[in-house]
Amino acid sequence: MSDFEYFFSFFGLLLGLTVAEVAVRFADAIDGHRRRPIGVLTPLLAIFVLLDISSFWLFTWSARDIILINWPTIFVALVVALLYFLSAALVFPRTPDDWLSLDENFWARKRYVLGGILTVNVILHLLLFTRAVPKITEYWFFVHKLIYFGPVIWAWKTNKRWAAILALLLAIGSYGLEYSDILPTSEWGKKLGLGGTVADSASTSGTSVTR
């Protein structure tokens, strides 16, 4: 087993536990839908969180050639995994009697959930910027970032139901757009060796490593 494979098994286990947390709470919500309406907002948020975690997982693997296995790497991975887990843990209520509906839980906690995920992506980009800084003329870099960060920030800020639904749908749709390889990889992504199916990020954008 290589150093990266050892690291990835540890990091993958933490992200796997986060996915399990969302899945179990989702199942509980479906099971209790008669006494507490599920609505649309919380399921969309849960889907986005699951996709973002999957994207980060893929990004980590795609960036295996530039990841140095040392104490700072392990520490950052722990912080990232913890932020993901805390964000995921707040998607659904912790107990059956916390909220009358899942929509109420969404409006009370969505800024914590999306804020945690945005923080993960900021940390990731700061680390990547230490290796390569995109030029102001790199058009596709900014296109990729806008596709991901635009809807997520909109969902984080809005207090309107229709806007939250639309923003989350756009954020979820961004994964399909990125991973379809329709958009060219940015020069920044190529410099980091992040091209390919997982191209730009991980959650960085939360989507493909091509960013």
Side-chain angles (χ1 to χ4, degrees), residues 123-137:
I123 291 173
L124 174 64
H125 279 80
L126 290 176
L127 291 174
L128 293 177
F129 288 160
T130 63
R131 290 185 166 270
V133 178
K135 297 178 181 178
I136 194 67
T137 56

Side-chain angles (χ1 to χ4, degrees), residues 6 29 36 53 60-61 78-80 90 99 101 139 148 151 157 163 170 207 211:
Y6 181 79
R36 185 172 59 190
I53 294 171
T60 304
W61 178 257
L78 184 61
V79 170
V80 166
L90 294 175
W99 304 94
S101 71
Y139 171 79
Y148 173 79
K157 288 188 62 176
L170 289 174
T207 71
R211 305 174 186 177

